[in-house]
Amino acid sequence: MLRTHGMNSKASLIPGYATPEGTARFRGRFAARLPGHVRGAQNLWLSSIGLGTYLGEPSDACDRLYQDAVTRAAGLGVNVFDSAVNYRHQRSERSVGRAIAAMIAEGSLRRDEVFLSTKGGFLAFDAVEPADPAAYFQERFVDSGLVRREDVAAGCHVMTPAYLADQIEVSRRNFGVETLDLYYMHNPETQLGQVKRPEFYRRLKTAFAALEKAVADGKIRMYGTATWNAYRVAPEATEAISLAEVLQAAKSVGGADHHFRAVQLPLNLAMPEALTVNTQPLDGRLAPLLHAAHKAGLMVFASASILQGQLAQGLPPEFARHLQGLSTDAQRAIQFARSTPGVTCALVGMSRREHVEENLATASVAPLGLGEYRAIFAGGTSTAP
């Protein structure tokens, strides 16, 4: 039987979702002292820096750190919180949920002010890694009839409608909310190591049909894809995915008013491919992902903005000249990511209060203007936006 480890019951789920009015109210509290930090996207006002929850031990101590980090981040102007059901064996979703619930209960935050995103697709443990992972997966997913073995790619990834419906329920309970603002199909390119492209896009289409149903049922507001390699690699690469074909899959099940509204992928000083490499078909040619996403009216969330801490130390000195007003390399890396044209929000993993305070100091400096941003690439080859 599935353990709950403190998951919220259905009766206690917090109603509501991010709204234009609520997010504008949130923006109003910070606009004067954080210039250009909260920006418009999909009729919402979203912070240009969001808190990610990927790293950390699956422990009670780390849970408490994340809960405190989320609370502090909201107080410093963050209203975008990103997770996934498999992050820290569901503990990251639950940590965010507890922090949000506590702030709502005390009156320092309202549900309509905050944008909650999460992901599904990978098989996940429940709070702790079981002694026999194979037996756990067999009992939880296969014996229950939720997953067929032939649906599992790379031994860890499923995107069938039944599985996604189950995982949306798990995430709603973990967050303690009736409605998730954004639900990503998590690293769908994982499937391409096992299935041919026609079968992959067929699976993606059925997954999107399930996500459209979840929108209609009020369980999510919109959906997208969160990827690592899919949109950054050359079109002939095994893991390459065409955004145009992804959007066609969404249109085929949701019509012109489908709810595919966002993509997430790495973008940082060491991984600029979303901006600089022509990987996506657009108007009869290849273009960078950011150009294709902008043309499609999509939000873009930049993950790994400081590359899991690797860019927080030892950036070349010339970056300090272009990214002025900032005191640390982490801040400079975040400023680069959130200033990139076409990026809605730069996600930064932050599980400690001191990191939240250091990183959010970036928001006191206005994002780079286009000319300032282009100056970073001066002397390079066709990489400027």
Side-chain angles (χ1 to χ4, degrees):
M1 183 175 182
L2 176 63
R3 301 183 301 279
T4 61
H5 288 286
M7 286 193 296
N8 296 280
S9 67
K10 184 175 180 179
S12 66
L13 298 183
I14 297 167
Y17 44 83
T19 67
E21 297 78 15
T23 55
R25 187 188 317 119
F26 183 90
R27 174 179 180 263
R29 297 203 290 272
F30 299 97
R33 55 191 174 89
L34 303 179
H37 169 55
V38 183
R39 53 187 58 161
Q42 294 289 330
N43 295 317
L44 301 172
W45 290 98
L46 303 180
S47 55
S48 64
I49 303 170
L51 188 145
T53 59
Y54 172 54
L55 295 179
E57 294 296 319
S59 66
D60 292 346
C62 193
D63 290 350
R64 290 189 291 270
L65 288 173
Y66 263 120
Q67 186 171 341
D68 182 55
V70 169
T71 303
R72 184 61 175 145
L76 291 174
V78 170
N79 72 339
V80 176
F81 298 96
D82 181 78
S83 195
V85 70
N86 63 309
Y87 288 178
R88 302 176 51 251
H89 309 334
Q90 302 187 45
R91 286 175 174 265
S92 286
E93 287 187 332
R94 293 167 187 168
S95 297
V96 175
R98 282 191 293 270
I100 297 298
M103 286 186 282
I104 290 174
E106 72 182 17
S108 62
L109 189 73
R110 299 187 195 179
R111 175 64 187 96
D112 63 355
E113 297 174 341
V114 63
F115 186 86
L116 301 176
S117 61
T118 196
K119 315 173 190 75
F122 286 107
L123 300 173
F125 298 130
D126 189 353
V128 296
E129 183 172 343
D132 188 343
Y136 170 82
F137 287 134
Q138 179 70 31
E139 177 185 357
R140 165 69 175 96
F141 300 111
V142 179
D143 291 347
S144 67
L146 183 61
V147 171
R148 300 178 304 167
R149 287 193 174 275
E150 57 265 35
D151 295 327
V152 183
C156 63
H157 194 273
V158 182
M159 56 188 212
T160 62
Y163 182 69
L164 291 175
D166 174 83
Q167 295 296 279
I168 288 171
E169 291 303 310
V170 171
S171 291
R172 289 171 69 231
R173 293 196 301 271
N174 286 344
F175 276 104
V177 298
E178 286 186 357
T179 306
L180 301 162
D181 295 293
L182 172 58
Y183 194 83
Y184 293 108
M185 187 69 252
H186 198 179
N187 287 14
E189 66 265 37
T190 305
Q191 298 267 329
L192 285 167
Q194 180 171 315
V195 303
K196 302 292 186 183
R197 290 189 176 274
E199 172 62 11
F200 168 77
Y201 285 111
R202 186 198 68 79
R203 291 185 179 191
L204 193 67
K205 181 177 174 180
T206 61
F208 286 175
L211 296 177
E212 289 287 350
K213 183 178 186 305
V215 172
D217 291 343
K219 296 178 179 181
I220 67 175
R221 291 287 290 170
M222 62 185 81
Y223 62 95
T225 48
T227 65
W228 189 255
N229 289 327
Y231 296 128
R232 300 184 305 113
V233 296
E236 63 271 17
T238 299
E239 292 184 298
I241 293 178
S242 163
L243 180 61
E245 292 194 57
V246 168
L247 290 169
Q248 182 55 44
K251 185 176 181 179
S252 69
V253 297
D257 296 325
H258 62 78
H259 294 86
F260 187 102
R261 305 287 172 79
V263 294
Q264 181 182 133
L265 78 167
L267 176 73
N268 55 59
L269 283 163
M271 303 170 69
E273 297 89 351
L275 174 72
T276 63
V277 180
N278 297 326
T279 64
Q280 297 299 313
L282 180 67
D283 299 332
R285 59 184 178 87
L286 289 178
L289 179 281
L290 280 168
H291 293 198
H294 175 74
K295 181 74 177 290
L298 300 177
M299 295 187 291
V300 177
F301 292 82
S303 62
S305 295
I306 59 174
L307 196 54
Q308 299 174 2
Q310 296 180 52
L311 298 178
Q313 46 193 335
L315 286 179
E318 58 264 28
F319 284 109
R321 178 166 58 88
H322 293 293
L323 299 160
Q324 297 183 1
L326 304 165
S327 59
T328 71
D329 282 342
Q331 293 169 0
R332 295 179 188 107
I334 294 167
Q335 181 74 320
F336 171 84
R338 77 177 185 131
S339 299
T340 301
V343 167
T344 304
C345 175
L347 299 171
V348 186
M350 295 181 276
S351 63
R352 293 182 178 274
R353 175 178 283 251
E354 57 267 32
H355 292 159
V356 170
E357 292 173 347
E358 174 188 345
N359 295 338
L360 264 296
T362 310
S364 64
V365 178
L368 298 177
L370 184 57
E372 296 172 304
Y373 188 88
R374 283 177 168 164
I376 297 175
F377 295 90
T381 60
S382 66
T383 54

